[in-house]
Amino acid sequence: MKSSKDIWVFGDYRNYFQNRVTLQILARAVDLATSTGGKVCAIVFGHNVNEYVAEYIAHGAQKVYVMDDPRLLLYSLETYSKLLTRLAKKYQPETILVGATRFGQEMAPRVAKQLKTGLTADCIDLEINEKGLLIQIAPSFGGNLIAKIITPVQRPQMATVRPGTFQELPHDYNASGKTMIEPLPDDLPEDRIRLITSEHRPSKKQKIEDADIVICGGRGMGSKGKFKKLFDLADLMNAEVGATRPVVYSEWISHHALVGQAGKNIKPKILMSFGISGAIQHTAALTDADFIIAINKNPNAIMMKMADVAIVADANQACLGIIKALKEKIRD
Amino acid sequence: MLNIIVCIKQVPMVSELPWDSKTGTLKRELAEGMMDPASRRALEAALQIKENQGAHICAVTMGPAMAQEILHQAKALGADVGVLLTDKRMAGADTFLTSHILARFIQREYENFDLVLCGSQTSDSETAQVGPQLAEELNIPAIGYVSQIRAKENSVEAQRHVDDFFEILNMDLPGLITIDLSAYKPRYLALEGVEKAFENPDIRIIDAKKLGLDDSFNALKDSPTRIIDVFSPTTQNENRVLKGAVKKVVDQLFDEYGKVIGSAMGKDLKTHEHDEV
Ligand SMILES: Cc1cc2nc3c(=O)[nH]c(=O)nc-3n(C[C@H](O)[C@H](O)[C@H](O)COP(=O)(O)OP(=O)(O)OC[C@H]3O[C@@H](n4cnc5c(N)ncnc54)[C@H](O)[C@@H]3O)c2cc1C
Ligand SMILES: Nc1ncnc2c1ncn2[C@@H]1O[C@H](COP(=O)(O)O)[C@@H](O)[C@H]1O
């Protein structure tokens, strides 16, 4: 059977309103569909989900496939992945995009396996090439390279995308979309996993994500002791401290400070980056920083090329120098 | 007694490498393989189950011959069996085929397994796909990002904190669990333990043929995804480069950008009175 040209986006609303990844992916799907010609569709499983259906339509979905049933009230990995697989077999979408929440990261691989197709994790961008194939752009080979990946034969083409990668479209109150109510199959197998307790424990929003000034330190800070100086600087500047993965792995700072694909996205007015090389997994999280000051002794580090101001210097000495200068300059 | 299979992977040590702070370079000669940190935690979880209630642990890895090292390590730590799945034709497998190969091994050699443990994600590719796909292929339930396991007779109880939900789940066995990087801090392995393990390695080595894979099987060719281009992210930002003595560049920074910095701080910074250089 020939596949349709539609692009599907899995509707992950469990933490809506905070988690906006579905809306973000819809926005990019709208973009992609202008060159492929297919429809942008959202998939919604759950019970009493009209609110989300409306939300997805207002954010770009032209069609929403809905399964609404009390048995779908809880997010169940086994059930949801079976249902998505069945729908995909029935309607043959060209592409399925899933938000890389923990749930999405567990579900997408299972669906891809059932559909015998490929899946690219954590795309930082998605494009359509001249043949209409989905180009899945993702970091690879440890961080300094980006790969363009395709799924040449199997369908659908599948990818996951981390929250914060794309920008959602504004809410369109006039948007209209088609809602397709899908019946729940009656041969749903019994779940082999039972939820005993579930408690909503929102992680405290890290200040670093909202901070106007972020000071990031990398391995170039040299040691845990020297890294500490960044906290003094942060105190003076009313800033938050972030770090790269080697720094977190070396336990110079807790993993809550990790900035990058595996950690937090930041959007400060000013980012000061000390002794960081600029691997893509780190810089992917910096795209919304307004003004970047990088300090590195290697003028050719990618972080230095990205920066608005690149200071070629020893990171520790520069940190101490800036602290000293600020102490003199801050008016009492 | 539980029959546990732990999937472990060897990863390059580059990003966590001992590093020369004088020259700012990596000590490449030490860039050897190590056990993926998440796999190491999965193994730790298995070892704790074994200590508490008894278990048979098989540590399996798919990789090049060199990956045997992590199997020695796993055995020194307490795994009962080490298995290396290795073949030229397995090279280049994406997660779809990696999980296929691991599943093949388990189905053929450990038909009556109870529990498969994986890391939540590897440090080198971090797809977090192999665990879920392995479970799918074995047609067993799986719980990801688990921070604590309590194994019972025919089920396990798992605890995790994901997507802002703290959950306790009960899963039928056989099943698969992936262990979160924050949990099961691995134990220290004394050097003599490693040496002992190397004296009597006794690792089973299985190739594509022995696994019963088709003669035409070729992971690189058969993977559903294909890399068509690799590039390095180049950013040609028009930028201001400051270099020279630290005092000088810091002064320059505040001369030129003091306003921007001050406004982000919400403070008025004194303008600089020039020093004689
Ligand atoms: C799957 C995966 C996911 C990842 N996720 C993340 C993530 O979320 N976040 C993240 O940060 N990383 C992540 N990484 C790691 C990433 O690829 C890089 O390894 C890491 O960002 C590098 O950190 P760094 O810049 O501190 O260290 P390095 O790359 O070692 O760079 C150190 C820099 O300091 C400079 N330097 C050295 N000495 C001095 C000195 N005295 N003064 C000034 N400069 C100096 C050097 O010139 C160099 O540029 C991930 C990797 C993988 C494989
Ligand atoms: N080649 C491999 N051999 C054995 N186990 C693997 C292999 N690749 C991945 N795994 C397991 O799957 C987990 C997640 O890997 P990944 O999906 O690559 O992030 C790892 O922590 C391992 O437990």
Side-chain angles (χ1 to χ4, degrees):
Chain A
M1 183 157 130
K2 205 179 160 337
S3 70
S4 77
K5 288 198 170 335
D6 292 352
I7 302 177
W8 283 15
V9 179
F10 174 70
D12 188 339
Y13 56 80
R14 187 157 60 156
N15 273 320
Y16 195 66
F17 188 83
Q18 288 72 19
N19 165 20
R20 310 185 69 83
V21 68
T22 310
L23 307 186
Q24 293 160 2
I25 300 178
L26 279 170
R28 177 47 61 105
V30 167
D31 235 26
L32 298 175
T34 55
S35 42
T36 57
K39 282 206 163 50
V40 173
C41 310
I43 311 299
V44 180
F45 301 145
H47 188 44
N48 297 331
V49 288
N50 289 345
E51 172 196 347
Y52 306 112
V53 174
E55 200 68 4
Y56 295 154
I57 290 174
H59 281 90
Q62 296 160 292
K63 203 193 262 181
V64 185
Y65 292 96
V66 183
M67 283 194 181
D68 190 321
D69 191 286
R71 278 171 292 173
L72 301 182
L73 190 60
L74 294 175
Y75 265 54
S76 152
L77 188 62
E78 290 209 90
T79 308
Y80 277 35
S81 58
K82 279 211 178 75
L83 294 179
L84 184 55
T85 304
R86 287 211 201 184
L87 275 188
K89 282 187 176 156
K90 182 167 163 196
Y91 292 106
Q92 308 275 327
E94 179 78 358
T95 297
I96 302 181
L97 305 175
V98 178
T101 59
R102 289 300 198 215
F103 186 80
Q105 284 174 317
E106 281 188 84
M107 186 192 67
R110 295 195 76 132
V111 173
K113 190 82 183 192
Q114 289 177 52
L115 293 173
K116 299 192 169 49
T117 189
L119 171 66
T120 302
D122 299 334
C123 292
I124 54 169
D125 210 349
L126 297 167
E127 292 169 359
I128 301 290
N129 76 358
E130 64 293 346
K131 287 188 196 132
L133 289 176
L134 181 74
I135 309 287
Q136 304 147 37
I137 302 176
S140 72
F141 303 114
N144 297 317
L145 293 172
I146 298 177
K148 291 191 171 178
I149 297 164
I150 56 170
T151 309
V153 182
Q154 281 85 353
R155 287 295 172 270
Q157 310 165 96
M158 287 187 68
T160 65
V161 176
R162 294 248 177 174
T165 303
F166 301 124
Q167 194 80 43
E168 70 188 64
L169 293 168
H171 192 110
D172 178 356
Y173 292 91
N174 299 320
S176 64
K178 220 168 155 182
T179 306
M180 314 275 289
I181 306 288
E182 290 288 322
L184 195 67
D186 29 47
D187 58 339
L188 261 193
E190 180 132 2
D191 220 315
R192 293 170 291 185
I193 297 173
R194 289 153 301 275
L195 187 61
I196 297 174
T197 59
S198 172
E199 205 183 298
H200 194 214
R201 279 195 202 164
S203 46
K204 274 188 264 119
K205 194 155 171 80
Q206 296 291 319
K207 287 201 211 116
I208 193 170
E209 293 167 85
D210 292 322
D212 281 341
I213 305 182
V214 173
I215 294 173
C216 269
R219 182 145 52 174
M221 286 304 289
S223 69
K224 187 171 185 169
K226 293 179 185 165
F227 188 87
K228 280 202 183 118
K229 286 285 167 210
L230 295 179
F231 295 104
D232 298 344
L233 179 57
D235 280 346
L236 277 176
M237 298 187 80
N238 200 6
E240 295 296 321
V241 176
T244 60
R245 197 172 74 165
V247 166
V248 170
Y249 273 16
S250 311
E251 297 179 355
W252 297 354
I253 190 170
S254 100
H255 75 270
H256 294 297
L258 179 62
V259 172
Q261 272 215 316
K264 309 278 180 329
N265 282 322
I266 57 172
K267 44 178 191 318
K269 293 192 179 127
I270 295 186
L271 166 66
M272 296 185 102
S273 170
F274 288 88
I276 292 178
S277 60
I280 181 67
Q281 286 97 349
H282 177 69
T283 60
L286 311 177
T287 46
D288 292 329
D290 292 337
F291 192 78
I292 301 180
I293 302 168
I295 296 99
N296 197 308
K297 63 181 188 185
N298 174 5
N300 298 318
I302 291 173
M303 200 60 232
M304 296 286 269
K305 304 238 153 107
M306 264 186 83
D308 299 280
V309 182
I311 302 179
V312 186
D314 178 86
N316 300 292
Q317 286 179 25
C319 175
L320 295 175
I322 295 170
I323 290 174
K324 185 156 174 280
L326 272 173
K327 282 186 174 158
E328 290 165 7
K329 282 171 191 298
I330 295 175
R331 291 179 201 273
D332 305 310
Chain B
M1 199 170 72
L2 282 184
N3 210 340
I4 303 180
I5 294 162
V6 189
C7 300
I8 60 180
K9 186 183 180 189
Q10 189 181 49
V11 294
M13 218 191 293
V14 175
S15 86
E16 281 71 44
L17 199 66
W19 177 77
D20 190 332
S21 57
K22 283 222 178 66
T23 61
T25 54
L26 297 175
K27 292 183 177 163
R28 295 249 172 232
E29 66 280 9
L30 295 175
E32 51 195 22
M34 63 172 191
M35 199 190 297
D36 157 50
S39 306
R40 183 84 172 70
R41 285 160 195 269
L43 177 63
E44 179 62 34
L47 294 171
Q48 289 188 20
I49 295 173
K50 181 173 172 175
E51 280 162 8
N52 293 337
Q53 62 199 85
H56 178 272
I57 302 176
C58 166
V60 60
T61 187
M62 181 198 84
M66 176 181 139
Q68 273 189 68
E69 289 166 15
I70 61 168
L71 295 171
H72 295 152
Q73 195 188 343
K75 286 194 70 179
L77 283 162
D80 298 286
V81 180
V83 179
L84 173 68
L85 310 176
T86 190
D87 198 302
K88 272 206 192 75
R89 292 192 286 136
M90 295 178 189
D94 67 359
T95 64
F96 186 90
L97 288 180
T98 302
S99 54
H100 175 63
I101 292 164
L102 291 169
R104 224 357 132 83
F105 162 71
I106 294 171
Q107 283 160 339
R108 284 177 81 97
E109 310 277 337
Y110 276 86
E111 220 193 341
N112 48 6
F113 70 96
D114 298 298
L115 180 63
V116 180
L117 292 171
C118 289
S120 55
Q121 72 259 65
T122 51
S123 67
D124 67 337
S125 62
E126 205 165 284
T127 71
Q129 285 170 194
V130 170
Q133 296 202 316
L134 177 56
E136 189 60 52
E137 187 147 346
L138 293 171
N139 189 21
I140 56 174
I143 306 176
Y145 307 99
V146 166
S147 51
Q148 207 176 335
I149 310 178
R150 265 219 313 244
K152 307 193 160 163
E153 191 60 27
N154 293 311
S155 69
V156 288
E157 201 170 279
Q159 194 172 299
R160 64 177 185 172
H161 191 181
V162 290
D163 292 338
D164 289 353
F165 286 86
F166 176 82
E167 298 177 334
I168 298 177
L169 302 142
N170 182 275
M171 177 176 75
D172 294 343
L173 292 178
L176 181 145
I177 279 178
T178 80
I179 300 292
D180 194 70
L181 261 177
S182 66
Y184 288 105
K185 201 172 170 58
R187 66 193 62 193
Y188 173 74
L189 174 61
L191 198 60
E192 59 196 274
V194 187
E195 280 165 2
K196 236 201 217 129
F198 274 86
E199 274 164 28
N200 180 17
D202 190 23
I203 301 292
R204 279 188 64 202
I205 297 178
I206 300 182
D207 63 12
K209 201 173 185 137
K210 277 195 224 138
L211 261 194
L213 294 166
D214 271 0
D215 284 345
S216 65
F217 178 88
N218 181 310
L220 196 57
K221 253 183 36 245
D222 298 348
S223 287
T225 52
R226 185 146 311 151
I227 295 181
I228 53 166
D229 190 15
V230 175
F231 58 100
S232 69
T234 41
T235 35
Q236 302 96 323
N237 211 353
E238 272 295 313
N239 64 3
R240 179 84 172 99
V241 178
L242 304 176
K243 52 182 154 191
V246 168
K247 169 111 178 65
K248 187 184 108 190
V249 295
V250 170
D251 285 345
Q252 268 179 322
L253 175 70
F254 284 103
D255 276 354
E256 294 176 30
Y257 303 98
K259 271 226 175 75
V260 188
I261 297 171
S263 106
M265 288 167 62
K267 285 194 176 133
D268 211 4
L269 297 182
K270 278 183 207 160
T271 47
H272 186 70
E273 306 89 56
H274 283 269
D275 289 307
E276 302 326 67
V277 186

